[in-house]
Amino acid sequence: PLRIGILKLLADRDLTNEELATALGVASGKLYFHTRKLLDVGLIELSETRQKGSITEKLYRLKYRDFYQPPGDGVNEPVLLATVVEGVRLYESTWKEIGEPMAHGCNYILYHSEESQASFRQKFLDLIKEFQDTAIDPNLPGARVLSLTMLLHRTTKDDTSD
């Protein structure tokens, strides 16, 4: 529940851990653990630092628009595993908190050629870009937070089955 609270507050503006703790009514030390977890899995990021006397404050912001791991190093490793696991936990607790079921979900495991895999990958990336590009100002009437989670991956290490 605290992590969901953090994400909801950061949807409106960048905040420090102290500001988040005050808004959520908890000790900043307790909240720091949860802020750190969200930071570690990539759901939030450091937006800036500012001096307040002798203290350096860190401001955090949502990073949900960047929830995409571009191709590159780690192709054979589950580079998003921690983020995916944390994301699933977040979604599960969100569904329980707001009482609204998932709008749409599916899981298909089917055989495809290398060509169709490349085609689906491009469509996948295009859909992510469209989702990002069509986002609206959260202050507009009717604006709702919507999450898109998609995974496209091989299910076996060796695809040379008969």
Side-chain angles (χ1 to χ4, degrees), residues 5-75:
I6 292 168
L7 294 173
K8 285 180 178 179
L9 288 169
L10 292 177
D12 294 329
R13 65 179 203 261
D14 297 3
L15 296 166
T16 67
N17 190 69
E18 189 67 38
E19 292 167 333
L20 288 165
T22 300
L24 294 169
V26 297
S28 61
K30 178 180 181 179
L31 193 68
Y32 181 75
F33 170 80
H34 298 284
T35 304
R36 190 79 208 154
K37 277 296 216 182
L38 292 170
L39 189 64
D40 290 346
V41 299
L43 293 175
I44 66 172
E45 65 185 351
L46 182 66
S47 62
E48 69 176 279
T49 58
R50 64 182 179 200
Q51 284 301 125
K52 188 174 181 181
S54 62
I55 298 172
T56 302
E57 292 184 318
K58 296 177 181 178
L59 278 87
Y60 300 98
R61 69 174 165 219
L62 281 180
K63 191 181 173 184
Y64 63 88
R65 289 179 56 90
D66 298 322
F67 188 77
Y68 164 66
Q69 176 69 38
D73 293 340
V75 170

Side-chain angles (χ1 to χ4, degrees), residues 106-112 120 151-156 159:
C106 62
N107 181 46
Y108 293 103
I109 300 173
L110 302 167
Y111 289 87
H112 283 274
F120 278 115
L151 300 171
L152 178 64
H153 61 92
R154 290 177 29 185
T155 60
T156 60
D159 284 341

